[in-house]
Amino acid sequence: MSDTALRTPETAQLPRFAWREVSIVLAVQVAVLSALSGRYGFHRDELYFIAAGKQLAWGYTDQPPITPALARLSITLFGETPVGLRVVATLAAAGTIAVIALIARELGGGRTVQWVSAALASLGPFAVAVAHMLSTTTVDMLIWALLGLAVLRLLRTGDGRWWLAVGAVIGLGLANKWLILLLVSGLATGVFAFGPRGVLRSVWLAAGVAVALVLAAPVFLWQAANDWPMLTVASGISGDDGVENRILFIPMQLVYLTPVLVPVWAAGLVRLWRDPGLRWARALAVSYPVVCVELLALGGKPYYSVPLLIMLLPAGVRPALDWLSRGRKASRRGVVTVFGVIGLAMSLVTGLPLLPPSSLNGPVLAINKEPGEQVGWPELTDSVAGVWLQIPAEQRAKSVILTSNYGQAGAIEHYGPAIGLPKPYSGHMSYADWGPPPDTMTGAVIVVGGQPTLSPSLTGCRVVTKNDNGIGLENEEQGTAITLCSGTTAPWSKIWPSLRRFY
């Protein structure tokens, strides 16, 4: 079957894109995110991305290179501040919402459906929280949306040249986060099972595969040369959190986009399956249950499937709007408005830095712990500096600061030079690859956190103080012990492997 033969009159023409309405949605989103990007401070992962961006490589222990490279680009152009770093996060979030509007158009949605889809996709708690800060997920949401759009365009038109775009997006996705393979498997299952299978016979398919392999090759070669550390990290996460992830998986699917939007994405799932005019798009409907089953089997985190939920929203907006226009319209719209306002308030309060940091304890951190991880890093660095000054001045040149995790190391690396602290070291994730202290560093050792103190190679250790963020915020670093050790029993090059941690 030729590519042209796959086209149908019903799908040949699309509504005009709602440039004005969608642009207004994007402008509001960008304005809000930009206005709040300087509130609180860096997230622990952002501090790690900054450090990784200064050590550019084709791969890292726990991630491919795109997000660290974007962090490097953003702070180079806009400054090493939360505002400067988050410019790229804001742009990625806006790009995701624009693509969601294009998906709505691809599914036949008119102007109203397009801008409503964009607005709803930007307002869920998870989407708001991820848009506020730079993370691999921030970038991944854009990449998943782009892949969904490219595949839908391929399936709708039958134009095999879209395989090149599909391959390019998959290749870029593999250079950011390997979770893109979940979406690939879900969409592939849908196409194989329910069609249109004609696209699989296109001569362009091989070219698309080649594009994906070329783009992803440096990442896989780096991982292979370094014994596939990302697989070790993934195995550790599944082993540590797999049971909890499986228990929470279904409940969290109902929460991430707010319960208010569950009927919308559920209607989208049903519509993609039952609407004869969208039969060609069934693969998108099939991909969600396939990805969910895979995540349950692997013990993956529940939020890994959220980008798919967001892609289902555009399919459900038209049925939702039709429902609102039937029957008791006033009462239906009133109920939706009340619950919508409640859901929006929850999204903004839990996802954006609106509250004073001292008010985060309680429901906010119970729903979303990430705001707490953006508070207290300067105070932690000051606590370490206080212990550093207890080391005799003549010993400091040979003394070491050793941290338990990359967040602590990233904070000291960022804030420490201004108050006289040296470069920190850590055995956590890629910090372990960036090297142990030189063997000539035979002075005292400040240990931040508890894990390294378990090493018998550190001697004369005593807890000097515990970190206090000053506002009683119960985040991960509140109460972190800061220990002073007299030295080591062996050169750093010998003990370093025992300090390495993959999760």
Side-chain angles (χ1 to χ4, degrees):
M1 182 182 297
S2 69
D3 292 341
T4 304
L6 291 170
R7 297 186 181 92
T8 64
E10 292 79 12
T11 61
Q13 298 297 322
L14 292 178
R16 290 185 177 182
F17 186 64
W19 288 105
R20 182 178 61 185
E21 295 88 342
V22 173
S23 295
I24 291 173
V25 173
L26 296 178
V28 172
Q29 181 194 40
V30 169
V32 171
L33 292 175
S34 299
L36 296 173
S37 62
R39 291 268 293 170
Y40 301 174
F42 290 113
H43 188 276
R44 67 167 62 247
D45 290 351
E46 291 178 316
L47 291 164
Y48 181 42
F49 296 140
I50 291 173
K54 294 175 181 177
Q55 305 268 355
L56 286 178
W58 282 111
Y60 301 88
T61 295
D62 53 339
Q63 63 191 304
I66 281 188
T67 300
L70 289 175
R72 171 73 172 268
L73 175 65
S74 200
I75 64 173
T76 299
L77 295 177
F78 305 108
E80 195 170 326
T81 65
V83 173
L85 177 67
R86 289 167 181 164
V87 169
V88 70
T90 298
L91 294 176
T96 301
I97 302 310
V99 175
I100 293 300
L102 288 169
I103 288 176
R105 176 177 179 264
E106 200 68 30
L107 296 174
R111 303 180 76 88
T112 300
V113 171
Q114 292 172 34
W115 77 258
V116 171
S117 298
L120 294 182
S122 68
L123 294 176
F126 185 82
V128 169
V130 168
H132 166 63
M133 64 185 190
L134 179 62
S135 69
T136 53
T137 304
T138 311
V139 181
D140 225 33
M141 288 182 68
L142 174 58
I143 291 173
W144 279 47
L146 285 170
L147 181 57
L149 176 62
V151 169
L152 288 175
R153 177 60 64 90
L154 168 68
L155 299 180
R156 183 183 65 81
T157 65
D159 186 344
R161 290 172 295 181
W162 279 97
W163 277 118
L164 296 176
V166 170
V169 176
I170 292 173
L172 290 174
L174 291 170
N176 181 67
K177 206 171 184 179
W178 289 358
L179 292 177
I180 192 70
L181 293 175
L182 294 175
L183 180 56
V184 171
S185 66
L187 292 170
T189 299
V191 173
F192 273 112
F194 301 103
R197 300 185 189 90
V199 298
L200 300 175
R201 294 189 287 273
S202 169
V203 296
W204 291 98
L205 172 58
V209 172
V211 170
L213 292 176
V214 168
L215 291 175
V219 177
F220 284 110
L221 289 174
W222 188 95
Q223 287 289 323
N226 289 273
D227 298 325
W228 302 97
M230 280 181 56
L231 298 182
T232 303
V233 172
S235 175
I237 292 174
S238 178
D240 277 8
D241 302 330
V243 173
E244 179 181 356
N245 290 339
R246 293 182 181 98
I247 293 172
L248 293 176
F249 188 86
I250 293 178
M252 295 309 293
Q253 301 303 294
L254 307 178
V255 171
Y256 280 132
L257 297 188
T258 81
V260 179
L261 293 183
V262 171
V264 181
W265 63 255
L269 193 65
V270 172
R271 182 182 172 218
L272 288 171
W273 184 253
R274 299 179 61 180
D275 188 340
L278 294 178
R279 187 179 183 86
W280 56 270
R282 277 188 174 183
L284 181 59
V286 172
S287 63
Y288 178 64
V290 169
V291 168
C292 288
V293 169
E294 291 173 339
L295 288 173
L296 284 168
L298 296 171
K301 295 183 182 297
Y303 72 79
Y304 289 168
S305 61
V306 171
L308 257 174
L309 290 180
I310 293 176
M311 282 190 279
L312 291 174
L313 285 176
V317 167
R318 179 183 289 175
L321 293 176
D322 290 343
W323 180 82
L324 286 173
S325 65
R326 295 196 304 267
R328 299 179 178 178
K329 293 186 286 186
S331 59
R332 288 185 178 187
R333 291 174 182 176
V335 171
V336 170
T337 299
V338 170
F339 283 101
V341 169
I342 294 173
L344 177 60
M346 290 179 59
S347 295
L348 297 180
V349 170
T350 60
L352 294 177
L354 295 175
L355 299 176
S358 57
S359 301
L360 293 176
N361 284 332
V364 173
L365 291 188
I367 296 172
N368 178 22
K369 70 174 185 178
E370 306 309 333
E373 299 307 309
Q374 300 170 44
V375 177
W377 297 112
E379 290 76 14
L380 174 69
T381 307
D382 289 342
S383 296
V384 174
V387 178
W388 179 258
L389 292 176
Q390 296 186 28
I391 301 173
E394 63 275 11
Q395 293 185 23
R396 290 177 200 157
K398 293 187 176 183
S399 295
V400 169
I401 298 175
L402 182 66
T403 75
S404 297
N405 62 60
Y406 60 61
Q408 298 162 350
I412 296 169
E413 186 171 343
H414 176 75
Y415 295 106
I419 55 176
L421 293 181
K423 169 188 174 182
Y425 295 87
S426 180
H428 191 213
M429 298 298 187
S430 282
Y431 265 99
D433 296 322
W434 300 333
D439 287 342
T440 55
M441 305 293 274
T442 56
V445 182
I446 293 178
V447 180
V448 184
Q451 185 69 22
T453 61
L454 300 177
S455 173
S457 300
L458 299 174
T459 61
C461 297
R462 60 183 179 87
V463 175
V464 176
T465 189
K466 291 188 176 181
N467 178 57
D468 184 0
N469 53 48
I471 57 175
L473 181 64
E474 294 300 326
N475 61 12
E476 188 171 332
E477 299 302 336
Q478 178 71 344
T480 291
I482 301 176
T483 303
L484 181 61
C485 301
S486 59
T488 64
T489 61
W492 283 105
S493 59
K494 297 293 185 183
I495 67 175
W496 198 244
S498 68
L499 298 176
R500 175 151 205 166
R501 293 175 55 218
F502 286 97
Y503 44 88

